[in-house]
Amino acid sequence: MYLPTAFRQDDLAELHAQIRANPFALLANACSEGVQASHLPLLLEPEEGEFGTLYGHFARANPHWRELQGGGEALAVFSGPDAYVSPGWYPAKVEHGKVVPTWNYIAVHARGPVELIEDPERLLQIVSRLSDRHETGRPQPWAVSDAPRDYLDAMLRAIVGFALPIRRLEGKWKLSQNRSAADQAGVRDGLTASPHPREQTLAAHMAQAG
């Protein structure tokens, strides 16, 4: 990813927080036909390895997993909040008019080798942890164990799991750091006033970074 110094995020806790907040990732890798990509919810285990390990699963009918046999490397992209930035928010527009639109966003890229998992018990652990993660806080959380075991066994046969130990982790926090303090404040105010929650979230990140 193109990563100017001003936008680089190296704080591991911040990178992990964004992965947890945006767990629906784009998983891509080079393959025999060029590039293959799948949209998948991933689970981060932060204590496993230097940068953590990601877990997920493919539908067995998805040919993507076959391209990862043998431990091929994959890239998981986690997209955080993003927003269009209007030049009208910059005080510089009034001063000299030399402004153009841009886009602010937060993104995390995680790379590493993929280990495919077909053992039923390990698959059960993956789907259980994924479900528990997203059921937490619900009034009546559903658990994998709520389903009949013979049904679960059939569902497990229909998926292929994987582990991706993160070997390289990059974060890009593009939050107008290359603009003047006045322009940054203008963007932050503009996003705060937005009716869209993701844009308000981005404004909060700008305030935290500022």
Side-chain angles (χ1 to χ4, degrees), residues 6-8 104 173-180 184 206 209:
F7 305 144
R8 187 182 190 93
N104 278 2
W173 269 229
K174 185 176 179 295
L175 303 174
S176 299
Q177 299 98 318
N178 57 332
R179 304 294 308 186
S180 68
Q184 289 182 43
M206 291 186 68

Side-chain angles (χ1 to χ4, degrees), residues 151-173:
Y151 174 78
L152 284 177
D153 289 341
M155 292 296 98
L156 293 174
R157 287 193 294 271
I159 64 174
V160 175
F162 64 88
L164 190 160
I166 302 172
R167 298 288 183 258
R168 181 178 174 189
L169 190 61
E170 295 178 322
K172 187 171 183 178
W173 269 229

Side-chain angles (χ1 to χ4, degrees), residues 1 15 18-29 35-42 54 64 74-80 105-112 162 164 166 168-172 198:
M1 143 168 84
L15 294 169
Q18 277 302 304
I19 290 175
R20 291 193 192 94
N22 304 279
F24 193 62
L26 176 69
L27 187 76
N29 68 289
V35 177
Q36 183 74 274
S38 293
H39 298 269
L40 304 168
L42 300 182
L54 299 169
H64 189 173
L75 165 68
V77 178
F78 300 88
S79 297
Y105 58 92
I106 289 175
V108 177
H109 287 192
R111 290 180 173 82
F162 64 88
L164 190 160
I166 302 172
R168 181 178 174 189
L169 190 61
E170 295 178 322
K172 187 171 183 178
R198 283 179 69 83

Side-chain angles (χ1 to χ4, degrees), residues 11-94:
D11 187 282
L12 186 59
E14 288 287 342
L15 294 169
H16 281 176
Q18 277 302 304
I19 290 175
R20 291 193 192 94
N22 304 279
F24 193 62
L26 176 69
L27 187 76
N29 68 289
C31 67
S32 58
E33 297 182 358
V35 177
Q36 183 74 274
S38 293
H39 298 269
L40 304 168
L42 300 182
L43 177 73
L44 172 68
E45 292 294 350
E47 304 303 324
E48 296 184 17
E50 182 180 4
F51 299 112
T53 297
L54 299 169
Y55 290 90
H57 61 83
F58 296 98
R60 186 172 288 276
N62 181 349
H64 189 173
W65 68 270
R66 299 183 185 279
E67 297 289 349
L68 292 163
Q69 291 177 310
E73 184 175 271
L75 165 68
V77 178
F78 300 88
S79 297
D82 65 275
Y84 170 80
V85 175
S86 170
W89 292 338
Y90 297 144
K93 175 182 178 294
V94 177

Side-chain angles (χ1 to χ4, degrees), residues 34 37 63 73 100 105-106 123 132 138 164 196:
E73 184 175 271
V100 294
Y105 58 92
I106 289 175
L123 285 175
D132 291 346
R138 296 180 183 273
L164 190 160
H196 303 295

Side-chain angles (χ1 to χ4, degrees), residues 179-193:
R179 304 294 308 186
S180 68
D183 283 353
Q184 289 182 43
V187 174
R188 190 167 57 247
D189 291 346
L191 293 174
T192 300

